[in-house]
Amino acid sequence: MRKPAVLVTGASGEVGYGLIDLFDSVDDMDVIALDIKPLDDQLHEKCAVSIAGDILDENLLQRLVSEYEIHAIYHLAALLSTRAEYTPDTAHRVNVEGTLNLLKLAHEQARWHGHAVPFLFPSSIAVYGLPDTETKKRAGRVREIDWNFPTTMYGCNKSYCEMLGRYYTLHYRQLAADSVRGGVDFRSLRFPGLISVVTMPTGGTSDYAVEMIHAAAQGRPYDCFVSEDAKIPFMVMPDAIKSLRLLAAAPAEALTQRVYNVTSFSLTAAELRDRVLSHFPKAVIRFRPDPPRARIVDTWPEDVDDSPARKDWKWEPDYSASRAFNDYLIPGISRLYS
Ligand code: SER
């Protein structure tokens, strides 16, 4: 008999870390953690099995399902926006072909055990592309259907995978004689810039927020690569995990869409600096914009409208900007570097 399990890809990344912690504390389902890098010991202990491997390796995925029956997939593995710009072809392979492999796997698993496989997929504010800062200001809080003109490979990849997820859920093999709906239950969140005290993101463009806070806590000067007035929405990791948990638990009838915006608070880089300085008054934070990277941030909305998530599955962030700093970032980061 194969054992039932939840598959988490990108398990060592910033979201994977928090998610596996949550599964460890509340869920009795075995977790299979997959990441391109070996998991650290602390995380490894919380999983039934952890595998260092590539989501593009279809043989690896097949070996996995010979032993485990997959009942849910949290597909977190991706190359983030800055890194993807340096290696767009690789990004496309990992972000799109990797996702396709996992959607196929979800469908195949559902055919085996007869239940739809929830497929939780973090998308991003990078799917939006505002043409200039004037328009960005005017647009304010953007809805899911607005300004879907990504300017990065990562944003294009996420946008297309949202469509693939919807397709696999609603229309996959629609012309086949034995076509059955309901194999994949794709649910996606468009995350804002995520901030964690536990892990540093690698290769994102919203990373300046995390870098600024961690540098201040370590007493290192920080040169911020966007300008003072660059503004995007943010969320701390506990809220990101909460939103994933709520969306995963929502009854299917409650969902009016497959892809939802979520956000907690929006700050300019200067406001972020001021908050960091109020906790670390000696921090040295300079603005030295790197125009190409700063431009990417300028194409992302300054706020998103997350009212469908609030209405459909009662989403509400726990952390305002003040609470994020006072109750999560500062205590967590002080512990990390003390
Ligand atoms: N944090 C991501 C990035 O910067 C956006 O979702 O690439």
Side-chain angles (χ1 to χ4, degrees), residues 80-82 124-126 154 191-194 203-207 300:
L80 294 183
S81 56
T82 292
S124 160
I125 47 166
Y154 170 79
F191 279 131
L194 296 180
T205 317
S206 61
D207 294 5
W300 294 349

Side-chain angles (χ1 to χ4, degrees), residues 22 130 144 193:
L22 173 78
L130 283 307
E144 284 89 349

Side-chain angles (χ1 to χ4, degrees), residues 159-193:
S159 175
Y160 178 54
C161 287
E162 291 178 357
M163 292 184 213
L164 277 180
R166 196 180 294 116
Y167 167 75
Y168 266 80
T169 302
L170 301 174
H171 310 293
Y172 183 53
R173 302 187 77 239
Q174 56 190 307
L175 298 185
D178 63 347
S179 162
V180 272
R181 265 184 61 176
V184 180
D185 179 2
F186 178 85
R187 302 174 179 208
S188 178
L189 291 165
R190 285 188 187 160
F191 279 131

Side-chain angles (χ1 to χ4, degrees), residues 75-112:
H75 174 37
L76 314 175
L79 249 64
L80 294 183
S81 56
T82 292
R83 248 181 98 192
E85 287 311 297
Y86 291 121
T87 54
D89 293 348
T90 307
H92 188 275
R93 272 197 298 279
V94 173
N95 294 350
V96 175
E97 289 173 32
T99 303
L100 197 61
N101 284 348
L102 288 151
L103 285 166
K104 283 192 291 196
L105 183 118
H107 185 265
E108 184 194 303
Q109 287 295 294
R111 297 294 294 271
W112 276 102

Side-chain angles (χ1 to χ4, degrees), residues 62-288:
Q62 285 308 319
R63 276 205 306 281
L64 230 165
V65 296
S66 68
E67 201 177 333
Y68 287 92
E69 200 173 73
I70 312 290
H71 282 249
I73 296 179
Y74 288 75
H75 174 37
L76 314 175
L79 249 64
L80 294 183
S81 56
T82 292
R83 248 181 98 192
E85 287 311 297
Y86 291 121
T87 54
D89 293 348
T90 307
H92 188 275
R93 272 197 298 279
V94 173
N95 294 350
V96 175
E97 289 173 32
T99 303
L100 197 61
N101 284 348
L102 288 151
L103 285 166
K104 283 192 291 196
L105 183 118
H107 185 265
E108 184 194 303
Q109 287 295 294
R111 297 294 294 271
W112 276 102
H113 55 59
H115 307 286
V117 173
F119 192 103
L120 277 293
F121 181 71
S123 185
S124 160
I125 47 166
V127 303
Y128 298 110
L130 283 307
D132 50 64
T133 47
E134 260 310 295
T135 314
K136 169 168 168 160
K137 214 177 228 121
R138 251 200 334 268
R141 306 178 71 210
V142 303
R143 295 172 304 166
E144 284 89 349
I145 53 165
D146 296 329
W147 298 107
N148 282 210
F149 307 113
T151 65
T152 59
M153 180 51 112
Y154 170 79
C156 294
N157 297 159
K158 288 289 183 188
S159 175
Y160 178 54
C161 287
E162 291 178 357
M163 292 184 213
L164 277 180
R166 196 180 294 116
Y167 167 75
Y168 266 80
T169 302
L170 301 174
H171 310 293
Y172 183 53
R173 302 187 77 239
Q174 56 190 307
L175 298 185
D178 63 347
S179 162
V180 272
R181 265 184 61 176
V184 180
D185 179 2
F186 178 85
R187 302 174 179 208
S188 178
L189 291 165
R190 285 188 187 160
F191 279 131
L194 296 180
I195 312 178
S196 165
V197 291
V198 188
T199 50
M200 294 290 283
T202 44
T205 317
S206 61
D207 294 5
Y208 60 92
V210 191
E211 289 169 2
M212 192 188 287
I213 298 164
H214 281 257
Q218 291 171 285
R220 286 188 292 109
Y222 182 65
D223 288 344
C224 184
F225 61 81
V226 299
S227 61
E228 295 188 41
D229 53 2
K231 185 175 182 183
I232 56 167
F234 290 104
M235 179 180 270
V236 289
M237 200 48 67
D239 268 341
I241 302 299
K242 175 183 174 180
S243 63
L244 268 172
R245 180 170 54 78
L246 285 176
L247 178 59
E253 328 70 81
L255 305 184
T256 57
Q257 49 199 60
R258 293 271 150 200
V259 178
Y260 288 90
N261 279 340
V262 280
T263 187
S264 295
F265 52 85
S266 288
L267 293 175
T268 63
E271 288 165 341
L272 197 68
R273 176 214 41 211
D274 294 345
R275 284 186 184 268
V276 173
L277 282 176
S278 76
H279 294 279
F280 301 102
K282 293 202 189 115
V284 176
I285 299 165
R286 295 169 298 226
F287 285 89
R288 303 260 196 276

